[in-house]
Amino acid sequence: MAASGSGHENWSSRSAFILAAVGSAVGLGNMWRFPAEAGENGGGAFVLFYIFCVLLIGLPVLLSEVLIGRHGQANAPESVRRVARDSNAPEGWSILASMGVFAAFLILSFYCVVGGWVVYYIGVFLSDLFQSGVAGGAFEGRDTAEIKALMPGLFGDGTLMIGLNLGFLAITMFFVSRGVSSGIEWVAVYLMPLFFVLFLGITIYGAFSGNFGEAVAYLFTFDFSKLTGDVMLAAVGQAFFSLSLGVAGMMTYGAYANRNTNLGETSGIIASADTAVALLAGLCIFPIVFAAGLATNSGPGLMFESLPLAFQAMPFGSLIGLAFFTMVFFAALTSSVSLLEAPTAWMFEKFKMKRAVATLIVGAGAAVLGILSSLSFNDLADFYPLSFIPLFAETNFFDTLDGLTAKLFMPIGAILTCIFVGWVADARLIDDENGLDGVLHQTWRALVRFVCPIVLTVILLFGLFG
Ligand code: TRP
């Protein structure tokens, strides 16, 4: 561990930074949210526009964020303030990151609800392992209807949902309270490689069974008429969510990067790994959705409803199901840790409190909101907190937080970040940090200054009012 005099920690190596950042990016966003969003937004048009967003918007914004963090070497708002100060620009720009920290907190609260579902399925497969045995498929002697009823069964049980949610949150708090090198980095370095091995194995298996061809056609056939403003905003939002952008997450992690890390290259690795996992998750889940005749637009439950059906038909189904959900749990944990780290780092640096105390305070807040999100699926299903806004007319608390952060906070945060890095910050400072030369540098600069802010603004307005 390389702690500097100020008590500010750093990743212990470049690969630790990459693993932690990939760990932040790869998570429920890829496995759970991407397939659900793709299914709700018509498949191919969404997916291709999503890839376009990652390359043209996500990647440049990602580099902008880690760059701000690395220059500032502090929590996100403070890092922005330092870049502004070193550029003789108004320090008020830090508001862009303060908004982000708040949004990260909101995301954390509902992210841990979904993390709880993952824990539930780990329990389901673990107990099934004892009932069905190792050799055959999962859920021996139970019919499809019973398996399909698992998710609605969980959704209907508010108390269980809250318990699982708080359990997942508590595990996240444990690692964040331990700090960068002994907590966050440990999770990433040990769990991310394990995740990739397991995930690849299951996807390869899936490709040889199920309706693979139909899934490929569904995900990659581009139907221009389906590309509405709504779908475009959903795709940008998903790109940001998946890459942990627009809400201070990557700024926070960039702050723990050493001077000798090449940020341009690192950003490329993070974005490629993240996108590969999302597409593979789609190719893993949709063959099952089609084979089992599930609705593609069934929303948040999609991954959880489809996969158990596949595991029923697989040899060693209970074991593979258990391995799969364990792996999703790891991926989710490395992400929830980064969501909690952003507000926690801000709080303990700003108010000079102990890391553990800040973790507790932020965690307690996330618990309260998490309870409301857990109840959105049962007791509070008819509670639409922002029903006066057309976009959220009929969205429950959970979906409102999700939509609010992905469709407003993230694009707005990213637009401000681009303007700040592209126009406000000192060009030499930026040049010095980004690790790009020649054409790449010119391209990145043009994207950040012109393409990203303009395209994002258009999509945002189009999506909200179009
Ligand atoms: N990217 C993560 C995922 O795909 C979620 C996440 C982690 C995140 N940290 C973030 C999203 C910061 C926004 C901001 O699951």
Side-chain angles (χ1 to χ4, degrees), residues 80-376:
V80 175
R81 193 172 294 122
R82 289 180 187 175
V83 173
R85 192 182 308 138
D86 294 344
S87 308
N88 291 318
E91 296 185 11
W93 276 97
S94 65
I95 185 87
L96 77 93
S98 311
M99 271 170 37
V101 164
F102 176 65
F105 163 73
L106 296 181
I107 299 170
L108 170 74
S109 73
F110 72 81
Y111 201 86
C112 290
V113 173
V114 186
W117 306 348
V118 177
V119 174
Y120 175 74
Y121 275 84
I122 291 179
V124 165
F125 280 100
L126 199 59
S127 72
D128 185 61
L129 195 56
F130 289 106
Q131 282 165 28
S132 305
V134 178
F139 309 113
E140 218 159 62
R142 289 204 250 172
D143 61 12
T144 314
E146 265 179 275
I147 300 171
K148 283 186 181 163
L150 281 171
M151 196 70 201
L154 171 62
F155 281 171
D157 189 340
T159 319
L160 180 60
M161 289 261 289
I162 291 173
L164 291 163
N165 165 18
L166 298 185
F168 189 86
L169 177 62
I171 300 171
T172 306
M173 288 165 65
F174 170 76
F175 285 104
V176 169
S177 68
R178 292 174 52 105
V180 174
S181 46
S182 46
I184 300 173
E185 193 175 303
W186 187 91
V187 183
V189 168
Y190 289 100
L191 302 188
M192 280 321 285
L194 203 58
F195 167 85
F196 278 106
V197 173
L198 272 168
F199 182 58
L200 216 61
I202 290 171
T203 312
I204 291 171
Y205 179 93
F208 288 104
S209 45
N211 292 12
F212 195 65
E214 200 177 338
V216 172
Y218 178 73
L219 290 173
F220 297 107
T221 309
F222 188 71
D223 177 355
F224 196 73
S225 68
K226 286 190 182 155
L227 197 60
T228 58
D230 256 10
V231 171
M232 287 195 274
L233 184 55
V236 199
Q238 174 58 25
F240 286 147
F241 188 97
S242 195
L243 292 169
S244 306
L245 295 181
V247 298
M250 286 296 180
M251 283 182 202
T252 307
Y253 271 23
Y256 308 129
N258 299 100
R259 289 289 326 159
N260 50 18
T261 304
N262 181 325
L263 297 183
E265 197 183 293
T266 311
S267 303
I269 298 175
I270 299 168
S272 321
D274 185 67
T275 308
V277 175
L279 296 179
L280 285 176
L283 290 174
C284 189
I285 287 170
F286 280 102
I288 307 165
V289 170
F290 290 120
L294 295 170
T296 50
N297 62 350
S298 61
L302 189 69
M303 169 186 126
F304 296 93
E305 278 159 10
S306 57
L307 289 174
L309 293 170
F311 296 132
Q312 185 180 32
M314 276 183 205
F316 305 105
S318 314
L319 199 63
I320 296 179
L322 179 62
F324 183 86
F325 280 98
T326 308
M327 156 201 109
V328 175
F329 172 79
F330 292 157
L333 187 62
T334 54
S335 300
S336 63
V337 154
S338 83
L339 283 164
L340 177 55
E341 175 66 10
T344 302
W346 170 77
M347 184 166 265
F348 77 76
E349 288 181 10
K350 166 123 187 154
F351 301 106
K352 308 214 172 357
M353 52 174 70
K354 284 210 175 78
R355 175 180 269 277
V357 176
T359 311
L360 267 181
I361 297 174
V362 178
V368 174
L369 296 185
I371 291 173
L372 292 174
S373 283
S374 295
L375 295 177
S376 302

Side-chain angles (χ1 to χ4, degrees), residues 398-409:
F398 177 96
D399 289 331
T400 301
L401 283 191
D402 179 82
L404 198 62
T405 47
K407 292 182 176 163
L408 284 177
F409 275 99

